[in-house]
Amino acid sequence: MDIEYLLTATRSARKTLDPDAPVDFADIRECLRIGLQAANGSNQQSWRWLAVTDPQLRAQIAELYREAYLLRVGGEMIADLVPAETPEGRIMSSTEWLVANMARVPLLLIPCYQPYLPRIEGDESFHRATLYGSIFPAVWNFQLALHTRGYGTCITTLHLHREDEVRRLLGIPDTYVQGCLLPVGRLRAGHRFRPARRRPVDEVVARDRWDGPAL
């Protein structure tokens, strides 16, 4: 796969996932091997990735995810309230498809990381950046590797509204932080991603100062 295409056309996959297609766990292991080559804080590799394949566990996590989504949107699905032909409508339709079908997705992957630096007063921003900076490079590597093999996923974080319940369900130690939840499946047959519309570089990059000129 062309590298520029891979980097610009690896998209969040929700409705484009095929929940009925089997997943080859040898493929997933290889994608994880590639993902784990990513940089992480002081090369501590203080991670543990939970691959949830058991249907009952997936169903329980999906229900917690659904509860969290409804909490965020006021208690009921809202996709039908947004015009379907608009960008917002397409996003909401895709989002709520995942809410309704999370339990059917054959693999739910939760990357966890154990903070390795002692906390000091006033270091909250540093602590957060160091922690998540040690998770998401590997997550992105994993997503790229999946795309080259006909799989897809998307980064979700809603389950963190029910983090303690998920922790107890899966036996995650208190010393580990759950970075996100990745629903993984094969892409629907014939689907091909394309680069998304993005704001021009000149609109979002400034030189030397917040209000400085474009780069």
Side-chain angles (χ1 to χ4, degrees):
M1 185 178 288
D2 176 77
I3 291 177
E4 183 171 337
Y5 170 79
L6 177 65
L7 293 174
T8 58
T10 298
R11 306 258 68 84
S12 292
R14 300 181 187 89
K15 291 178 81 171
T16 50
L17 297 177
D18 184 349
D20 299 317
V23 167
D24 186 334
F25 291 113
D27 287 341
I28 303 304
R29 285 177 57 87
E30 184 64 10
C31 291
L32 284 167
R33 183 191 65 79
I34 293 169
L36 296 179
Q37 287 291 319
N40 60 97
S42 299
N43 197 30
Q44 291 293 303
Q45 303 177 60
S46 299
W47 40 39
R48 181 80 165 176
W49 297 61
L50 286 181
V52 183
T53 62
D54 180 86
Q56 291 185 341
L57 289 175
R58 296 197 331 258
Q60 291 178 75
I61 292 172
E63 180 57 28
L64 293 170
Y65 187 88
R66 179 179 178 277
E67 290 174 5
Y69 179 76
L70 294 177
L71 174 69
R72 297 294 301 186
V73 298
E76 60 182 358
M77 298 290 204
I78 61 174
D80 290 343
L81 304 178
V82 184
E85 68 278 4
T86 64
E88 294 80 8
R90 289 190 289 272
I91 289 173
M92 291 309 305
S93 175
S94 177
T95 297
E96 294 196 348
W97 180 92
L98 186 61
V99 172
N101 291 277
M102 176 77 78
R104 298 178 59 214
V105 178
L107 171 63
L108 304 180
L109 190 66
I110 302 177
C112 303
Y113 206 83
Q114 186 174 45
Y116 61 91
L117 292 174
R119 297 295 304 273
I120 60 176
E121 185 177 355
D123 76 340
E124 186 60 34
S125 294
F126 170 83
H127 177 75
R128 266 199 318 271
T130 301
L131 174 64
Y132 292 107
S134 295
I135 296 175
F136 284 104
V139 169
W140 180 235
N141 268 17
F142 175 67
Q143 288 185 266
L144 294 172
L146 285 176
H147 191 183
T148 67
R149 289 159 174 80
Y151 294 87
T153 188
C154 63
I155 295 173
T156 72
T157 54
L158 276 171
H159 84 288
L160 295 175
H161 284 292
R162 296 291 185 266
E163 182 176 11
D164 289 340
E165 290 96 323
V166 174
R167 184 185 302 281
R168 289 192 294 270
L169 181 65
L170 302 179
I172 301 172
D174 291 340
T175 55
Y176 279 79
V177 172
Q178 300 171 53
C180 61
L181 171 64
L182 303 166
V184 179
R186 289 190 183 274
L187 296 172
R188 294 186 184 277
H191 181 79
R192 179 176 170 82
F193 287 120
R194 60 180 183 272
R197 293 182 180 179
R198 290 291 187 256
R199 294 169 61 187
V201 171
D202 286 352
E203 287 187 11
V204 297
V205 179
R207 188 168 69 244
D208 297 331
R209 294 177 55 83
W210 185 266
D211 57 355
L215 184 65

